Structure formats: structure tokens, C-alpha cells
Amino acid sequence: MEGEKKPIFREEKTTNFTIMSNTHLREEGMSLKAKGLLTLMLALPDKWEFSINGLCSICKESKGAIISALNELKRFGYLETRMATPDETENGKIRYEYYVFKRPRRGITTD
């Protein structure tokens, strides 16, 4: 058995796949939950409108777990949110805008 070559498994990637940086996957101190959610978010279509309820609808995790992972992504610099006030939106309601980054925009913050 010694010296025997180990098999290498590779998936043929021709359709329906995502190419992304490994940066967030190698992030020390970030939970698997946050890494997984960011991976999912990066794989969603460009026109997908992010919301907590939308993420809950495509994930098994609870709303609290999604919020916790989003907060962690904010701390690590992979996510920023902005609240659009009613006078800035078409329907006159508050809307949250999500800015998702493939690489962190800043170091870990404490807020």
C-alpha cells in the first residue's frame, strides 16, 4: 500500500457552478455558519434581492441564526447594510440594502 497513488476526485464544471475566492473560507475565527451563508450569498444571481426573510426562505436555519451570521459577516467586513428611508424608496417604505463583498472591506470591528 505504501507508495500507492491516492485517487483525485474532481467534478466537471460545465454548467450551474460558482467561482469564488477562497478568502472567506480561510478566514480564521469566522464560524462555519457565516462562511456557508456568505458562500450561498455569493452564489445567488446578481439580481437577487437580499432580505432576511428571503435568506430564511432558502435556508434551513432560523431567522435568529441568519441574523447572527449576517452580523458576523459585518464584523469581518464581508457585508455592509444601508437603510434606505421612505423618501428614498419607490414604495415609500424603509428598505435595507445589502452590499456583499468577495473580500473583506475592513478588519474585524467590535460593533
Side-chain angles (χ1 to χ4, degrees), residues 4 21 49 59 76 78 80 89-90 95 97 100 105:
E4 184 178 322
S21 170
E49 292 192 27
C59 295
F76 277 85
Y78 289 92
E80 290 180 10
T89 62
E90 295 173 6
R95 181 185 71 229
E97 298 170 348
V100 182
R105 288 287 171 111

Side-chain angles (χ1 to χ4, degrees), residues 7-73:
I8 298 174
F9 297 97
R10 300 203 190 270
E11 179 183 349
E12 183 179 349
K13 297 177 177 138
T14 55
T15 60
N16 198 24
F17 66 95
T18 301
I19 297 174
M20 66 182 67
S21 170
N22 288 325
T23 303
H24 70 286
L25 298 173
R26 295 183 178 138
E27 190 78 62
E28 290 185 23
M30 184 187 287
S31 71
L32 184 59
K33 175 175 63 177
K35 291 176 182 183
L37 184 60
L38 181 58
T39 300
L40 172 68
M41 292 169 75
L42 291 171
L44 290 169
D46 290 339
K47 293 184 179 186
W48 203 82
E49 292 192 27
F50 287 94
S51 70
I52 293 170
N53 288 336
L55 291 170
C56 287
S57 73
I58 61 171
C59 295
K60 179 181 173 183
E61 282 65 34
S62 68
K63 189 173 187 175
I66 297 292
I67 291 170
S68 170
L70 291 173
N71 286 334
E72 187 174 351
L73 292 174

